[in-house]
Amino acid sequence: MTLVAGVDSSTQSCKVVVRDAETGTLVREGRAAHPDGTEVHPDAWESALDAAVAEAGGLDDVAAVAVGGQQHGMVCLDESGKVVRPALLWNDTRSAGAAGDLIEELGGGEAGRQAWVDAVGLVPVASFTVTKLRWLADNEPDNAGRTAAVCLPHDYLSWKLAGSPGLDALFTDRGDASGTGYWSAATGEYRTDLLVRGLGHEAVVPRVLAPAESGGTTPGGALIGPGTGDNAAAALGLAARPGDVVLSIGTSGVASAVAEVPAADASGAVAGFADATGRFLPLVATLNAARVLDAMARILGVDHAELSRLALSAPAGAGGLALVPYFEGERTPDKPDSTGALHGMRLSTSTPAHLARAAVEGLLCGLADGLDALVAQGARVERVFLVGGGARSEAVRRLAPAVLGRPVLVPPPGEYVADGAARQAAWVLTGAAEAPTWEREGTEAYDAEPTPFVRERYAEARDLTVAQPQV
Ligand SMILES: Nc1ncnc2c1ncn2[C@@H]1O[C@H](COP(=O)(O)OP(=O)(O)O)[C@@H](O)[C@H]1O
Ligand SMILES: O=C(CO)[C@@H](O)[C@H](O)COP(=O)(O)O
């Protein structure tokens, strides 16, 4: 049996799967936690990768490996390949002002937003790498000056797997490059001028590989695939095709659609990313998803199973209680300093069940807004998949079709990002025109009577939040 490995270096943890390259059968797996916080030293990802690989039985017997990872994180390397400072993650909002400055510099307002969309398919918000570079240049000029290369979390780990062989050996893929703000999914080219606009000077950036091209080998001789961003990897793991929308409830809430053409949304809601197959992946991401459920479970002093049971025991709409889930500020809509809020409290709805229901519905309303934004940009929606840690909640699975007003498909609990990376690794081995087909069984369909009044109530509450800058 030929084995391949896939990695998901996500916000909260690192997961590794080892699969049969031909059939996709799971052979071994491992995981390790990442530190909390929105600023993390890449050494921590490397240690977690080592631990997860060890738990998964090592890579000695795998023929190829690929890394999927959280998108956008700013990893700066000096000339010798040393990390300049801890990485700023996708959910670090300190560069919100820098995002505004970058829009201003390309014309400001509508013109500035359109100029960015025309250049790189997205409007800068604090999540995107280019804004983090500008924050670095403005606030830590010495660190910016020492930065000789810039890469993303998955690029860094792929390079480490290859033995960190010099800055020119860095490589990436279309999917993750498209989330930097200095690479265009539409043209397939870097915009060095925009990188310089962020960082203040030129720097080495990873070579963008074709979807099934190898970027190097591990010391044990396994081919290393291009890897990709976690959302493109999830789409690959699900074998998503045009007409499919993937909703992911991880640390981020994501609605993404496989598309044949790049997106260009000057409102900034939809980012015009590329996918890992040569297509495109228009995507809406929020900063608040599974951790909203974590927070409500903590408030109520219950575990996830009980939170789910409580939510399902309350009426649809939670008696008018609406939770706006901007606990971490928000990216879509672009409100980096906003806070969460609970609206419509009555004595009768001040119960754990109503609170639990409001948390699940609030989270789902945020995702439903994301799905609407994709549709407004022309996404075709034939099938909707629900994945990520939050999809393990029965309440989420059962209430999603009611809030979204559409049926959803829930694949069996699994690591779809790591699986997508493993499938990419298998593709690198075959070098065929398409990724290998791996059968997956056990997908469940959920449907429910639509509850549009839940979204109407949420829409009334959505903008009623107070701002509080993050420290
Ligand atoms: N049964 C469950 N119900 C709700 N949330 C869950 C459940 N199991 C795990 N989670 C949450 O899912 C999140 C992890 O999901 P994951 O997709 O791995 O996130 P990430 O990829 O961002 O690290 C955590 O916040 C965790 O608490
Ligand atoms: O910023 C984005 C997408 O644009 C996030 O989706 C990150 O890629 C983090 O993903 P998770 O850790 O939540 O899976």
Side-chain angles (χ1 to χ4, degrees):
M1 186 194 299
T2 304
L3 298 179
V4 289
V7 176
D8 173 14
S9 177
S10 71
T11 314
Q12 297 190 48
S13 61
C14 183
K15 309 135 200 184
V16 173
V17 298
V18 176
R19 290 186 174 270
D20 177 353
E22 199 181 325
T23 63
T25 304
L26 182 65
V27 178
R28 309 190 298 258
E29 59 188 325
R31 76 159 54 218
H34 282 162
D36 273 342
T38 61
E39 181 174 321
V40 171
H41 198 288
D43 282 355
W45 302 328
E46 202 183 346
S47 306
L49 174 62
D50 288 346
V53 163
E55 193 176 298
L59 297 179
D60 287 350
D61 56 351
V62 309
V65 57
V67 182
Q70 53 175 313
Q71 296 189 249
H72 319 306
M74 177 192 75
V75 180
C76 294
L77 304 175
D78 71 12
E79 277 208 348
S80 69
K82 280 209 197 69
V83 172
V84 169
R85 74 173 321 285
L88 299 184
L89 306 195
W90 62 279
N91 53 355
D92 188 291
T93 53
R94 78 186 71 179
S95 58
D101 291 346
L102 289 169
I103 294 169
E104 205 51 44
E105 289 167 22
L106 290 207
E110 272 310 301
R113 301 162 80 82
Q114 190 63 52
W116 277 95
V117 163
D118 291 344
V120 285
L122 50 82
V123 177
V125 288
S127 288
F128 300 138
T129 326
V130 68
T131 71
K132 298 177 191 300
L133 293 175
R134 169 55 73 85
W135 179 90
L136 188 74
D138 287 346
N139 293 277
E140 298 179 357
D142 290 351
N143 284 337
R146 282 202 300 127
T147 297
V150 184
C151 65
L152 298 171
H154 111 255
D155 312 336
Y156 180 77
L157 290 177
S158 301
W159 184 67
K160 283 282 159 185
L161 281 175
S164 28
L167 298 182
D168 287 339
L170 283 162
F171 59 91
T172 190
D173 86 305
R174 295 170 67 249
D176 229 5
S178 63
T180 58
Y182 43 83
W183 188 85
S184 162
T187 65
E189 301 287 342
Y190 275 110
R191 285 290 305 256
T192 308
D193 57 323
L194 298 180
L195 171 77
V196 171
R197 191 171 278 284
L199 182 62
H201 60 88
E202 286 197 22
V204 174
V205 283
R207 192 160 64 87
V208 181
L209 302 185
E213 190 179 345
S214 171
T217 54
T218 65
L223 293 175
I224 306 172
T228 190
D230 53 3
N231 296 296
L236 193 58
L238 290 165
R241 57 183 194 229
D244 287 345
V245 167
V246 180
L247 301 182
S248 168
I249 305 176
T251 312
S252 60
V254 169
S256 61
V258 179
E260 302 284 7
V261 291
D265 177 13
S267 84
V270 177
F273 296 163
D275 82 348
T277 70
R279 297 191 182 91
F280 300 91
L281 196 74
L283 180 147
V284 179
T286 72
L287 298 185
N288 297 284
R291 280 173 168 169
V292 174
L293 304 182
D294 296 348
M296 189 53 83
R298 196 164 58 240
I299 290 166
L300 298 178
V302 298
D303 63 12
H304 277 302
E306 180 61 6
L307 185 79
S308 171
R309 193 196 65 72
L310 284 168
L312 290 170
S313 73
L321 205 55
L323 181 99
V324 183
Y326 301 161
F327 289 51
E328 295 268 80
E330 195 40 276
R331 158 173 164 188
T332 321
D334 183 17
K335 295 185 166 188
D337 291 334
S338 62
T339 55
L342 192 57
H343 295 278
M345 292 189 81
R346 295 278 190 208
L347 289 178
S348 59
T349 56
S350 299
T351 75
H354 287 83
L355 284 167
R357 182 87 182 201
V360 175
E361 289 180 343
L363 154 62
L364 289 169
C365 283
L367 275 179
D369 285 351
L371 183 50
D372 282 356
L374 286 177
V375 171
Q377 284 300 306
R380 190 153 55 86
V381 187
E382 286 164 8
R383 303 189 297 177
V384 177
F385 288 97
L386 196 59
V387 296
R392 294 177 194 254
S393 156
E394 188 189 346
V396 166
R397 296 195 301 270
R398 285 181 44 193
L399 301 187
V403 173
L404 298 170
R406 307 172 179 268
V408 299
L409 295 170
V410 186
E415 299 301 341
Y416 289 94
V417 176
D419 289 350
R423 188 162 173 246
Q424 185 193 64
W427 192 7
V428 168
L429 279 183
T430 65
E434 299 283 334
T437 304
W438 288 351
E439 297 302 329
R440 184 185 60 245
E441 285 173 1
T443 296
E444 289 184 14
Y446 285 78
D447 205 354
E449 197 59 41
T451 53
F453 55 91
V454 173
R455 291 196 64 196
E456 285 158 20
R457 181 69 164 164
Y458 180 82
E460 282 179 77
R462 190 173 40 210
D463 295 326
L464 306 176
T465 64
V466 293
Q468 183 179 329
Q470 313 228 18
V471 281

